[in-house]
Amino acid sequence: MERIHLHDKTFRICIPHSDIQKSIEVLAAKMNKDFEGKEKPLFVSVLNGSFMFTSDLLKNLTFQCELSFIKVSSYAGTSSTGEIKEIMGLTSEVKGRSVIIVEDIVDTGATIVELHKMLMDKGAGEVNVCTLLLKPEAYKKDVKIKYVAMEIPNDFIVGYGLDYDELGRQYKDIYVLDTSGE
Ligand code: IMP
Ligand code: MG
C-alpha cells in the first residue's frame, strides 16, 4: 500500500483521487440545481487547505458566480487549537450578498462558526457552508453544513490541499495517519 512520510509521521492512502472527483461532481450537481437562476453567489474559499477543492468544485459549476479568498488558521500539528485568526482579509464586498464558504474540512467547527459570524457581521444576506470533508463525530456546532462532499471518521488526514504542519498539500489523493507501526 502506498505510504508517504511527512515530518515524523507516516500516512497511508485512504481516499483515491477518482473518489474525490466523483464526490465533487455529485456535490456540484446539487449546487447547480440550487443556484441556477438565483442571484450570483460569492464563493469565499478558505486558504490554504481549500485551494484544490475550490478549483475542482468551480470547474463543475454551471451557474455564474464570483470567487474570493480568505486566510485563517486554527491548527497546530494534528489537533485543532480552537481559536482562529483572520490572517488575510476579504477583498470583496459581501453586503446583502449570497455567500458560500468553501472549506477543505470541518472538524470541531471552530473555524466555520467564526467565519460564518464574521460574514454575517459584515452584512452578508445569506451564508451557506460547503466543505469537501466533514468529521460528524467531531462537529457539534449549530451552524448548518449544507454542502458536504464526503463524511469521514475522526482521523487526521493529509493530501489534496490538507497539510500536516505545512507538508503534504500537493498529493492528489487523501492519506490518513498510519498508526500500524507505532
Ligand atoms: P476546525 O476549526 O476544528 O473545524 O478545523 C478546521 C481546520 O483545521 C480546517 O480548515 C483544516 O485546515 C484543519 N484540519 C482539520 N482537520 C484536519 C485534518 O484531519 N488534517 C489536516 N487539517 C485539518
Ligand atoms: Mg483549512
Side-chain angles (χ1 to χ4, degrees):
M1 190 181 280
E2 202 188 325
R3 284 182 163 72
I4 54 172
H5 304 278
L6 304 171
H7 299 295
D8 56 335
K9 301 201 187 304
T10 302
F11 296 82
R12 61 183 159 77
I13 206 159
C14 74
I15 310 174
H17 188 69
S18 56
D19 287 3
I20 300 172
Q21 293 304 316
K22 268 181 236 147
S23 74
I24 293 174
E25 283 166 23
V26 172
L27 179 66
K30 185 177 171 197
M31 296 181 99
N32 286 336
K33 232 183 182 170
D34 288 359
F35 288 92
E36 208 61 76
K38 294 261 170 67
E39 174 211 342
K40 296 179 194 68
L42 169 69
F43 283 92
V44 174
S45 171
V46 186
L47 293 171
N48 294 329
S50 301
F51 79 99
M52 277 201 196
F53 173 47
T54 301
S55 167
D56 286 336
L57 176 68
L58 265 67
K59 282 181 254 180
N60 284 283
L61 298 180
T62 53
F63 56 92
Q64 293 193 8
C65 58
E66 291 179 27
L67 173 64
S68 190
F69 292 92
I70 194 167
K71 188 163 183 176
V72 295
S73 115
S74 83
Y75 249 65
T78 58
S79 65
S80 186
T81 59
E83 35 177 287
I84 76 154
K85 296 177 281 207
E86 183 181 345
I87 296 175
M88 189 179 93
L90 258 190
T91 49
S92 303
E93 176 60 76
V94 300
K95 238 179 215 90
R97 301 203 56 187
S98 166
V99 177
I100 306 169
I101 303 171
V102 185
E103 259 288 23
D104 49 357
I105 186 165
V106 175
D107 183 11
T108 65
T111 312
I112 219 70
V113 167
E114 277 299 313
L115 270 179
H116 190 275
K117 184 175 175 301
M118 193 195 84
L119 290 162
M120 291 307 281
D121 288 350
K122 285 187 197 288
E126 182 189 10
V127 179
N128 281 298
V129 180
C130 166
T131 185
L132 175 70
L133 300 156
L134 171 69
K135 293 179 180 174
E137 291 158 35
Y139 186 70
K140 302 291 174 227
K141 301 281 202 300
D142 294 331
V143 172
K144 185 174 170 2
I145 315 294
K146 190 164 180 187
Y147 300 102
V148 180
M150 290 178 285
E151 292 192 348
I152 58 165
N154 216 353
D155 298 322
F156 187 75
I157 54 150
V158 294
Y160 196 74
L162 291 124
D163 71 302
Y164 167 43
D165 277 345
E166 296 307 327
L167 294 184
R169 295 194 196 275
Q170 81 264 33
Y171 299 100
K172 67 185 200 312
D173 307 297
I174 290 175
Y175 294 76
V176 65
L177 189 59
D178 185 10
T179 48
S180 65
E182 285 173 14

